[in-house]
Amino acid sequence: MKSDFTSRLKYGVSALAVASTITFGVQAAYAADDAAAAEEVTFEEVVVTGSRIVRKDIQSVSPLAITDAQEIKFSGHTRIEDMLNSMPQIEASETGFLANGATGTASLDLRGLGSQRTLVLINGRRMQPGGINTNAADINQIPAGLIKQVDIATGGASSTYGADAVSGVVNFIMDKQFEGLKITGGISAYQHNNNNKYMQGLQSDAGFDFPKGSTFDGEQYNIEMAMGSAFADGKGHAVVYANYRKIKELRQESRDYASCALNGGGTACGGSGNAVVPNFDIYSVDPNTGATISGYHRWTKKDVEDGLTTTSMVGKLRIGGDGLPGYLDDDGVRVAAPWFPTSLTDPSGFADHDANTYDTLGSDSSIIGSSGNVYNYAPVNHFQRPDERFAAGAFLDYEINEYFHPYAEVMFSRDTTKAQIAESGTFFDEEYRISCSSPLLTAAQSAAICGTRGLTANDDFGVYVGKRNVEGGPRQDNLTHSAFRIVVGSEGQITDTWRYDASLTYGSTNSSTAYKNDFYAPNIKNALNVEEVDGVVQCADPAARAAGCIPYDIFTYQGVTPEQANYLTATGVMTGQTSQLVANAYVTGDLPVSIAEDPIQVVFGAEYRKETFERTSDQLFEEGLLLGQGGATASVDGSYNTKEFFTEAFIPLIQGVEFAQELSLELGFRISDFSTTGSNSTYKIGANWQPIDEIKFRGSYARAVRAPNVLELFLPQTEGLWSGEDPCSGAAPELTEAQCALTGVKAGQYGNISESPAAQYNSFDGGNPNLEPEVADTFTVGFVASPMDGLNISLDYWDIKISNLIDNIDQELAVTECGKTGNAVLCSLVTRAPNGSLWLGKAGRVTATNQNLGYTHQKGLDLVVDYQINAGEGTFNVDLVGTYLLGKFTQEIPDFAPSEYECKGKFGSNCYPSPKWRHALRIGYDSNDFWRVTAKWRHYAKVVNEDATETGINAAMAAQNYFDLTANFIATENIDVTMGVNNIFDKEPPIVGGRYSGAGNANSYAGFYDTLGRYLHMSVTASF
């Protein structure tokens, strides 16, 4: 990882080709005197990422970090995103370590501002959106073995490349001039010693199994081929490539720190209330009205002993102090319930009931308390998804003459991956009505459920069921992406000082998901509606029987069979295509005026871009009939286009004088007309000042604009889930009774609203066609210096503020601050079910559709140091890339102080881990013979929880240090071998409690910290 300054010194100007991907060779004539012949001297000019102006000086006015091909190779990573996520400027986004909700793509997130705000380029041109679940580019399409370098330009580049470059750009520059034949084969795997005493102790306490000892797993294989050659006497050049990658699955059961799902506080193994032996949330049904009466399941022995005469028990079916049954209405008046037997005033009838738990059926077929009856859903979840990818492509150019130099790029990739998570379940999704005479119930069960409630054989009771489909196996999301990208264009001279570039880029991604083994809601209702005919229990609905319905025997201990489960599951399918068409043309050259020695250089150009997004969901997804989805996934069909004009200028002000060897300005302006949001403009101004040879100062200001994408605009509004906590749930709610009343909690419900065992609550999400663009202001200032031979330093301050953020109001924030402040806007977002719940059934939910909200403001320092010196016969070098975070502040809701939070040095409900300091330090020695070795130290500073009241493992995550070692050997003239170990000391990722399940996977921030332990890799390259 090197600064732009460093790379210039080490690799020469030719290493830094380009934002427009064109490297021009030109000639300059110098006259010795008027009578002498002109002597032609050839030099190379380049276009630097972040600008389209052809330059002799490759230094960017904005910070530019570069990763070269050698570093990519030495990292040993099969997935390019794994390598790039170790850079301090990048925060992990979609990776191969995600399972639940995975898109199957690989995306990049500069500064943690969101992958939708990071523009990804290949040779200076946009990549298309990655598929039906995301608008971010999928870098799975990029062949790692043909990458020449990766430029990361932070600080905004919208005036150069258009919308989406709010946080910056990542430009993959391919080796289009590769010569020869190169074949590389590689293998890698993880090795870990399971010895986490803390997690093993928790799992022993819970009676769970866990792995022990050393493992060797998660193998990855890849083979790459590239072939290139000039033709037509050097006028043309062609490069073709192909590669194949296969990655094996790893489940969370393979790591002791991941094989149980921690509870919210991280103090015990938690789990889901959708258990192997089902939990039941049973409601009495008033035979006169048919309405359910909530709350009976919270009776305890102590309730009866206390008499329950308090008016706080509104809506609860209780025994009054007079010994008569009844419940309290909304006014606190006890309403008699004569069907309820007075014999239940005997406290002994409640001896087996625990407070605030669900009822469940045990092996003795009696009602018992279910405290601790949760399912450990962690082991079967994928920790690393299996993946298989094939990619191929070609780069071609042919210079017909100096005025017409056509070129083409063709890229194709097909990637398939499977995301496996725990078995589906009934998830307390809807209330089922069961007849008291149902043949699913034994006589004892009917008496316990119905008889003791005064219900007759002709009456029904209502029940929410929490049953995990362990008989049917885990859910699997089979994701496929086929991406195609083609670029055709031409560049050439117009005059001696003017040239042009015109291109057409088309990219499309066809993707699909087949979600297998999920519970199909209508079939569960059919399977619980049963009858007995001639001694045979069967589904009551003839149509259901004809479709293979089998009664769902949930009231019999371990009575559910795989055959029953098979009828209850279905496969949901979504297919679709995203596409992008870009027509771009510009001219660049010298104006016939100058202020200093060199002329003013300018660019004038125009661009047309059209984005389309089409996703077709089948009926199961469209109507939310798969219970494991948390809601519907609607079809989407939308598009937008933009017409843009842009210009740039490079203005030398002073050259070649004392204390001003160079003083120059860089200007940029772009006006865009979006079919959705109208017109807006972006611009930049930058300055370079080089007082002496050893140092140059630089600074810039940029205004960037990001228009909403198709999903943000047109995604239909549907039900979903959010992770967190309802502050009004549990026996001791976080908020007071008066505060909870503002969120919709009725009298008598306070302290009696059950918590979601899986920390998941209902949401109502979707797009908003009335969104306006985001606006970002970026400021950078810094210097690049070479104070001594071999030492190069760059230090840059950066400041990014994005306003009018496109986002949804955090659901937990809405509930909490509604209660604390009574804010009418927030309270309008919270809808509680009649029983007060935000997760039982679908009636309760928090609305979180897209809106233009507040702002986020980040600032920090980027440091790059490169030192190289001869040592013996070889070369010793040190590279350091580090980022010091000075601030990461967000105000989610405009002018609403409770929505403000600071993430610098923190993690938590609002904050992805944001260490104040991150660095990657690489030390290498090249023997200049047949071997070289590199050691790397990756450091993440300590982060503390934004909630200062958190204790235990949730209070803080200690500083993380990972050490890597790689060696490369030239075995023969044509073969070299690279082998290495990343995370030499098998450092585990820091773990957090379940309330931070937004971390991504497996009690950790998977993909950000090293996730699976020690990583061993080896590759062999044959070159001819």
Side-chain angles (χ1 to χ4, degrees), residues 801-980:
K801 183 178 180 181
I802 306 175
S803 303
N804 219 26
L805 282 172
I806 298 172
D807 205 347
N808 61 278
I809 296 177
D810 180 81
Q811 295 93 331
E812 187 171 340
L813 173 72
V815 180
T816 302
E817 295 304 326
C818 164
K820 289 182 177 180
T821 68
N823 182 283
V825 173
L826 296 179
C827 291
S828 69
L829 303 176
V830 184
T831 302
R832 290 191 178 272
N835 59 10
S837 178
L838 291 174
W839 67 279
L840 278 170
K842 295 294 186 184
R845 66 188 186 187
V846 181
T847 299
T849 53
N850 289 337
Q851 300 182 44
N852 286 107
L853 298 173
Y855 69 91
T856 186
H857 187 188
Q858 295 192 27
K859 53 187 176 180
L861 295 169
D862 284 346
L863 173 66
V864 179
V865 179
D866 185 308
Y867 179 63
Q868 180 174 297
I869 189 173
N870 293 329
E873 298 298 322
T875 305
F876 176 80
N877 67 279
V878 178
D879 298 304
L880 171 70
V881 176
T883 294
Y884 187 83
L885 191 61
L886 295 172
K888 192 175 184 180
F889 179 83
T890 297
Q891 186 184 79
E892 190 167 327
I893 303 172
D895 303 319
F896 186 63
S899 71
E900 298 174 354
Y901 53 90
E902 167 64 70
C903 290
K904 178 187 66 176
K906 299 177 181 179
F907 78 100
S909 299
N910 295 308
C911 300
Y912 198 83
S914 303
K916 292 182 181 179
W917 172 252
R918 279 181 66 187
H919 76 241
L921 172 66
R922 186 176 66 168
I923 301 174
Y925 182 76
D926 188 341
S927 69
N928 292 330
D929 189 4
F930 71 94
W931 64 272
R932 49 189 165 182
V933 64
T934 296
K936 191 173 183 180
W937 170 26
R938 295 174 285 125
H939 173 77
Y940 302 72
K942 175 183 177 180
V943 287
V944 300
N945 200 302
E946 60 180 311
D947 182 355
T949 64
E950 287 280 15
T951 59
I953 65 170
N954 286 344
M957 293 191 292
Q960 303 294 303
N961 294 285
Y962 304 105
F963 298 92
D964 311 332
L965 183 65
T966 304
N968 174 263
F969 303 93
I970 300 175
T972 69
E973 180 181 355
N974 304 110
I975 296 177
D976 72 90
V977 179
T978 300
M979 60 183 65

Side-chain angles (χ1 to χ4, degrees), residues 315-332:
K316 298 296 183 181
L317 185 58
R318 300 293 187 183
I319 305 301
D322 55 3
L324 297 177
Y327 66 94
L328 301 179
D329 64 16
D330 291 344
D331 297 321

